[in-house]
Amino acid sequence: MQQGHMNAQLLAYEKIRDQILNGTLAGGTKLVEERLAEEIGVSRTPIREAIRRLEQEGLIQKKRVFKPSRTDLIHLFEMRILIECFAVKKAAKYMTEEELIQLKETIVRARNSKEAEVVAANKEFHDMLVKQSRNPLMIANLDKMKAVIYLFSKAVVFNKRPMLIDEHEDIYHAIAARDGERASQLMEQHLQSDLQFTLDLHVLD
Amino acid sequence: MQQGHMNAQLLAYEKIRDQILNGTLAGGTKLVEERLAEEIGVSRTPIREAIRRLEQEGLIQKKRVFKPSRTDLIHLFEMRILIECFAVKKAAKYMTEEELIQLKETIVRARNSKEAEVVAANKEFHDMLVKQSRNPLMIANLDKMKAVIYLFSKAVVFNKRPMLIDEHEDIYHAIAARDGERASQLMEQHLQSDLQFTLDLHVLD
DNA sequence: ATAAAATATTTTGTATACATTTTTTATTTA
DNA sequence: TAAATAAAAAATGTATACAAAATATTTTAT
């Protein structure tokens, strides 16, 4: 959490967002402007703007902390698959040798580290690929979605799904071989597995 | 323009949005809260909320009416193609006979009407298909994008591209034949042609 | 006359008061 | 007791005043 020129709005936005993501504000909680204003120490005005923003990002819906259902997650992943498969095809076409080395590097790092570092490396793998879409719209879209996806899976200790890194490696090889179609197929399977894994951990709904 | 329970916010939102879409507020124009407040006859507070919303929809950027560049339009269409091709595959799988009749109906209407009615029928064709994605996220996304796409092509008299209806018909036949792959390919070509047509009409940039 | 500094003006950000609506609680009635 | 209604409280919507920041304008020095 960095603090640029901290105006009240940004402060409110970041504080509320953090509380939602780390679970302090649980899914379904009603957000009361005055309560938040008092807690954060600003007036209602910037709180409102922050809430509007979070509403647009999907983290708040109808004044309540969004609690994604299984169906919501499935929809999110449908969209995610569309974008990441597109990106991966572009990657196969346009990624430079240097970029490929960097990509490979995230896999090596994921194998040789543990805990948070693994998660960070895997995240970087996906981020690098999404960037290859060269489409700011898609990048921004996916960014928003990730917050909601995280919201759903935050209970899931940490992405420790078996085979995850192997799948990344397969995707990498397909890209390096400039086989966009195959990379896309592999990415789809990879994300479907991720979705299934997440759904399985939330038996109730 | 219908008026539900007209609160100041909605009023402001709709008025500003309309002015952007119909060109009264030209691309690049700086939006001054006080000016708008006076004109619309509400205070600055609801104006601000309306602006935030329009910012999120992409119609306003950094306090100015968004003026999409050719590149922006290309990005928009990349995203649009992704979603509509996805939708069309689902349509081929799941559309009922009744729905297919309705779809066909939009084509007949487009052939036998003129002016605004043709445009409406063509729009309905796409809307019906997008709905087949059965994914609220995609539907909402496309809806936002359409406003911006319209913003770009509003100077373009009205969608009178030759072959447009024939292409719709081809897509319809592919769907009716339950050939999702082909429907998707046809939809992609169709939208690429639309993009090209729109770009060609804006020689300057 | 030009560039820099100082000043004035406009515009946005924030707090606050009050109006309106929504939600909750209490009360009445069947 | 349960449903319906009325009263109270709470929360949101809106207007407005003032503060801070960003822009535009004038002044000054070179």
Side-chain angles (χ1 to χ4, degrees):
Chain A
M1 202 217 275
Q2 59 8 10
Q3 59 160 64
H5 341 112
M6 252 330 180
N7 55 10
Q9 242 175 100
L10 247 184
L11 182 82
Y13 168 77
E14 290 187 355
K15 283 225 175 183
I16 297 171
R17 190 185 138 100
D18 284 352
Q19 290 193 5
I20 292 174
L21 291 181
N22 78 15
T24 310
L25 283 167
T29 309
K30 180 135 174 265
L31 293 172
V32 176
E33 294 172 8
E34 213 159 358
R35 219 196 110 284
L36 290 167
E38 188 163 12
E39 185 195 312
I40 295 173
V42 298
S43 85
R44 269 179 58 213
T45 312
I47 296 287
R48 300 190 109 227
E49 311 244 342
I51 289 179
R52 296 283 170 277
R53 203 168 145 193
L54 291 163
E55 262 171 353
Q56 285 308 54
E57 290 181 14
L59 248 36
I60 294 178
Q61 276 186 21
K62 294 152 34 97
K63 313 277 164 197
R64 282 172 191 282
V65 177
F66 182 46
K67 202 187 168 209
S69 68
R70 296 169 78 82
T71 310
D72 290 326
L73 193 69
I74 290 169
H75 291 153
L76 238 14
F77 265 79
E78 271 184 355
M79 187 87 176
R80 186 178 173 194
I81 287 169
L82 241 42
I83 295 176
E84 296 209 24
C85 285
F86 175 87
V88 110
K89 281 181 210 155
K90 291 264 186 174
K93 255 196 192 148
Y94 301 119
M95 238 174 155
T96 66
E97 293 303 317
E98 293 94 296
E99 288 172 327
L100 280 169
I101 291 169
Q102 270 187 273
L103 189 66
K104 171 78 186 171
E105 222 266 301
T106 67
I107 296 166
V108 174
R109 243 169 67 225
R111 286 209 193 286
N112 302 330
S113 320
K114 51 189 177 140
E115 296 301 325
E117 180 63 17
V118 179
V119 178
N122 287 336
K123 182 183 173 320
E124 208 184 313
F125 177 83
H126 282 275
D127 286 348
M128 277 196 70
L129 290 181
V130 170
K131 222 170 64 184
Q132 290 298 318
S133 73
R134 289 175 172 77
N135 186 322
L137 233 99
M138 295 189 191
I139 294 170
N141 242 108
L142 210 51
D143 220 63
K144 280 191 206 168
M145 292 197 294
K146 270 188 290 190
V148 181
I149 290 173
Y150 177 76
L151 189 62
F152 190 90
S153 55
K154 67 165 177 282
V156 182
V157 232
F158 262 23
N159 251 351
K160 282 229 201 79
R161 184 162 69 77
M163 315 304 292
L164 189 144
I165 303 176
D166 292 331
E167 289 169 19
H168 280 191
E169 185 144 26
D170 292 345
I171 293 168
Y172 162 78
H173 283 306
I175 293 171
R178 305 297 177 187
D179 187 343
E181 249 344 292
R182 175 158 173 73
S184 173
Q185 275 173 237
L186 289 171
M187 178 59 92
E188 172 158 5
Q189 285 172 227
H190 173 60
L191 291 176
Q192 289 287 7
S193 303
D194 255 22
L195 169 60
Q196 205 49 60
F197 182 74
T198 308
L199 286 174
D200 287 347
L201 286 168
H202 291 252
V203 262
L204 315 158
D205 198 0
Chain B
M1 199 216 274
Q2 63 359 14
Q3 59 160 62
H5 347 107
M6 253 329 184
N7 55 11
Q9 243 175 100
L10 248 184
L11 182 83
Y13 168 75
E14 290 186 356
K15 285 225 175 183
I16 298 171
R17 190 185 138 102
D18 284 352
Q19 290 195 4
I20 292 175
L21 291 182
N22 78 14
T24 310
L25 283 167
T29 310
K30 182 139 172 259
L31 294 172
V32 177
E33 293 172 10
E34 215 158 357
R35 218 195 111 287
L36 291 166
E38 188 162 10
E39 184 195 314
I40 295 174
V42 297
S43 84
R44 270 179 58 214
T45 313
I47 296 286
R48 299 190 110 226
E49 310 243 343
I51 290 179
R52 295 285 171 276
R53 204 168 144 194
L54 291 162
E55 263 172 352
Q56 285 308 55
E57 290 180 14
L59 249 36
I60 295 178
Q61 274 185 23
K62 292 151 34 94
K63 313 273 163 201
R64 282 172 191 280
V65 177
F66 182 45
K67 206 189 165 204
S69 68
R70 295 171 78 83
T71 310
D72 290 325
L73 194 70
I74 290 169
H75 289 153
L76 238 15
F77 264 79
E78 272 183 353
M79 188 85 177
R80 187 179 172 192
I81 288 169
L82 242 41
I83 294 175
E84 296 211 23
C85 286
F86 175 86
V88 110
K89 280 182 210 156
K90 292 265 186 175
K93 256 197 190 148
Y94 301 118
M95 236 174 159
T96 66
E97 293 303 317
E98 292 95 297
E99 286 172 329
L100 280 169
I101 291 171
Q102 271 187 271
L103 189 66
K104 171 76 185 175
E105 223 269 300
T106 67
I107 296 167
V108 174
R109 243 172 63 226
R111 285 211 194 285
N112 302 329
S113 319
K114 52 192 177 137
E115 297 301 324
E117 180 63 17
V118 178
V119 179
N122 287 336
K123 183 184 171 318
E124 208 184 311
F125 177 84
H126 282 276
D127 286 348
M128 276 195 71
L129 290 181
V130 170
K131 222 169 63 184
Q132 291 298 318
S133 73
R134 289 175 171 74
N135 186 322
L137 233 101
M138 293 188 192
I139 295 171
N141 241 106
L142 209 50
D143 219 64
K144 279 192 208 169
M145 290 197 296
K146 271 188 290 190
V148 182
I149 289 173
Y150 177 77
L151 190 62
F152 191 90
S153 54
K154 68 165 176 282
V156 182
V157 233
F158 261 26
N159 252 352
K160 284 229 200 79
R161 184 163 67 77
M163 312 307 291
L164 189 144
I165 303 176
D166 293 330
E167 288 169 20
H168 279 192
E169 184 143 26
D170 292 344
I171 293 168
Y172 162 78
H173 284 305
I175 293 170
R178 306 298 177 187
D179 188 345
E181 249 341 296
R182 174 156 173 74
S184 172
Q185 274 172 237
L186 289 171
M187 178 59 91
E188 171 156 6
Q189 285 171 227
H190 173 59
L191 291 176
Q192 290 286 5
S193 302
D194 255 21
L195 169 61
Q196 205 48 60
F197 183 73
T198 309
L199 286 174
D200 287 347
L201 285 169
H202 291 252
V203 263
L204 315 158
D205 199 4

